[in-house]
């Protein structure tokens, strides 16, 4: 019976893992994957009940986790859109001659759009890390490991976003977006470290 | 009381009705997919009908559901007119519009309760849930560490629930 249940779950798990390879999430869009990871982190945090067990306490964490997860999912779609547009502009740039520079502005705009949305991924990842840390601190001890896992996932998503902004062709080191996403990454990592330092 | 005062020609009472139910009317219109000028047309139509037909309202306590019903009729009228103007809008689909008035009323109650929350709880909740601001942005705006924003919002949610439980609305 348990084996049958496991086998019935496999297609769904397989489909989830293949969202990138099958092109549901734009192939190679690590930014979209970061958004998915942030959404997973928020979802995991949502499952952690707080210590009091009363609606008021639990509801606050659940409602925030739902909101963060929904934002992350929405951003996955937005990041994909901007990423596909940037790929399209890059392909166009490769086929144009040195004298045809009219597309440069469009390419720069497309890359700027990608960077803007990656910063938003960094924000939502940091929010997921902060909320998961709260859940780790105040939630039921039996669920603490899940909350800590959520902070680890969220911090990873923030790190991915920061890395992708850093390597974006139009973003310099002094660019405010690079500074901001770097701070968000550090904030998410700090939340993760606080959570992992809580005794299980 | 409000209805009786209005029937007696009390202008302040009428203004209070408009003020109290304006958002409600807009919310219902938006559930029909009406925005901008069309939602404004429905709003105007609803309060015109409300004003002229207020004498026919038998139960003054049923003002809210009565306005909801008028709004639905006005919204359907607007959609039908739109369907005549724009062939892409299928008139048949209008009757399929399902409204969840309970959901709208709950949203309205939450909105009112948010106004009653002590600061900075109300502000924090609005910024997070309504304006989609991040903890960092909220922390900067409210002058509190970003790391405490999530717990502040949780506390605000707790207070909000107490308010809603104490005053379930009309």
């Amino acid at each position: 019976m348990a084996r049958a249940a496991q086998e019935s779950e496999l297609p769904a798990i397989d489909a989830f893992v293949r969202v990138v390879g099958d092109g549901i999430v734009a192939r190679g869009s690590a930014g979209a994957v970061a958004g998915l990871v942030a959404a997973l982190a928020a979802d995991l945090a949502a499952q952690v009940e707080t210590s009091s067990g009363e609606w008021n306490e639990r509801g606050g964490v659940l409602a925030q986790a739902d909101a963060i997860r929904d934002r992350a999912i929405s951003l996955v779609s937005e990041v994909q859109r901007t990423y596909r547009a940037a790929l399209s502009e890059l392909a166009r740039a490769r086929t144009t001659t040195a004298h045809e520079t009219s597309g440069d502005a469009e390419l720069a705009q497309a890359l700027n759009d990608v960077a803007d949305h990656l910063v938003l991924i960094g924000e939502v990842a940091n929010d997921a890390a902060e909320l998961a840390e709260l859940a780790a601190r105040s939630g039921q001890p039996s669920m603490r490991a899940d909350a800590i896992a959520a902070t680890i996932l969220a911090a990873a998503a923030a790190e991915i976003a920061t890395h992708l902004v850093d390597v974006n062709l139009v973003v310099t080191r002094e660019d405010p977006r690079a500074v901001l996403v770097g701070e968000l990454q550090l904030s998410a990592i700090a939340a993760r470290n606080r959570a992992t330092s809580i005794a299980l | 009381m409000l209805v009786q005062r209005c029937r007696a020609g009390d202008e302040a009472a009428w203004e209070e009705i408009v003020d109290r139910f304006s958002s409600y009317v807009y919310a219902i219109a938006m559930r029909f997919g009406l925005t901008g000028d069309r939602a404004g047309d429905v709003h105007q139509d609803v309060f015109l009908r409300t004003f002229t037909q207020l004498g026919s309202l038998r139960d003054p306590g049923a003002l809210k559901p009565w306005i909801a019903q008028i709004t639905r009729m006005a919204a359907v009228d607007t959609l039908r007119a739109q369907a005549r103007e724009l062939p892409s809008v299928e008139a048949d689909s209008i009757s399929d519009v399902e409204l969840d008035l309970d959901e709208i009323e709950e949203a309205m109650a939450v909105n009112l309760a948010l106004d009653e929350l002590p600061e900075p709880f109300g502000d924090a909740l609005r910024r997070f849930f309504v304006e989609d601001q991040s903890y960092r942005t909220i922390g900067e705006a409210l002058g509190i560490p970003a790391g405490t924003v999530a717990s502040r919002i949780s506390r605000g949610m707790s207070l909000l629930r107490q308010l809603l439980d104490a005053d379930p609305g009309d």
Side-chain angles (χ1 to χ4, degrees), chain A residues 7-29:
Chain A
E7 286 175 357
S8 70
E9 290 166 358
L10 287 177
I13 296 168
D14 183 62
F16 174 75
V17 174
R18 288 177 183 273
V19 291
V20 179
D22 288 350
I24 296 171
V25 166
R27 192 180 295 273
S29 175

Side-chain angles (χ1 to χ4, degrees), chain B residues 50 72 166:
Chain B
T50 302
R72 279 185 287 191

Side-chain angles (χ1 to χ4, degrees), chain A residues 18-196:
Chain A
R18 288 177 183 273
V19 291
V20 179
D22 288 350
I24 296 171
V25 166
R27 192 180 295 273
S29 175
V33 174
L36 281 176
V37 172
L40 280 175
D43 200 58
L44 198 50
Q47 295 169 35
V48 180
E49 291 185 353
T50 50
S51 56
S52 74
E54 294 174 4
W55 184 93
N56 289 339
E57 295 294 323
R58 192 175 68 242
V61 173
L62 283 176
Q64 291 178 76
D66 283 348
I68 292 169
R69 183 191 54 217
D70 290 349
R71 277 176 216 170
I73 290 170
S74 170
L75 281 171
V76 168
S77 173
E78 282 297 297
V79 166
Q80 286 193 98
R81 180 185 60 74
T82 59
Y83 181 72
R84 286 187 176 119
L87 286 181
S88 174
E89 290 298 334
L90 276 169
R92 194 199 315 266
R94 288 197 186 100
T95 59
T96 56
T97 68
H99 300 292
E100 296 173 320
T101 57
S102 61
D104 286 356
E106 285 80 0
L107 175 57
Q109 184 57 53
L111 290 170
N112 272 311
D113 285 346
V114 172
D116 289 344
H117 284 85
L118 287 170
V119 173
L120 295 176
I121 292 281
E123 274 196 332
V124 81
N126 180 49
D127 284 356
E130 296 277 9
L131 185 69
E133 192 241 334
L134 172 64
R137 265 192 291 113
S138 57
Q140 288 183 0
S142 62
M143 300 293 286
R144 189 168 290 152
D146 296 83
I148 292 172
T151 67
I152 294 169
L153 281 174
E159 287 186 273
I160 295 169
T162 301
H163 172 68
L164 295 174
V165 171
D166 286 346
V167 299
N168 189 297
L169 293 173
V170 296
V171 178
T172 63
R173 190 170 293 181
E174 296 76 25
D175 189 308
R177 292 171 298 187
V179 175
L180 174 57
V181 79
E183 289 174 359
L184 290 164
Q185 175 194 347
L186 292 176
S187 174
I189 289 172
R192 179 199 67 194
N193 291 345
R194 288 193 301 272
T196 53

Side-chain angles (χ1 to χ4, degrees), chain A residues 68 71 123 127, chain B residues 123-142 149 153:
Chain A
I68 292 169
R71 277 176 216 170
E123 274 196 332
D127 284 356
Chain B
D123 200 8
L125 263 65
R126 270 192 202 284
R127 286 174 182 275
F128 183 79
F129 289 110
V130 181
E131 297 171 25
D132 280 353
Q133 291 186 3
S134 68
Y135 292 151
R136 179 189 175 89
T137 304
I138 295 169
E140 285 174 356
L142 301 184
V149 172
I153 293 172

Side-chain angles (χ1 to χ4, degrees), chain B residues 81-139:
Chain B
Q82 192 174 336
R84 284 193 292 273
E85 292 168 18
L86 304 169
S88 61
V89 178
E90 294 179 15
D92 291 347
S93 67
I94 294 170
S95 59
D96 295 335
V97 174
E98 288 291 334
L99 271 185
D100 187 347
L101 289 181
D102 288 343
E103 195 176 307
I104 291 173
E105 287 176 14
E106 187 180 338
M108 300 283 295
V110 169
N111 203 37
L112 288 172
L114 277 174
D115 288 338
E116 294 177 29
L117 274 183
E119 294 304 339
F121 297 112
D123 200 8
L125 263 65
R126 270 192 202 284
R127 286 174 182 275
F128 183 79
F129 289 110
V130 181
E131 297 171 25
D132 280 353
Q133 291 186 3
S134 68
Y135 292 151
R136 179 189 175 89
T137 304
I138 295 169

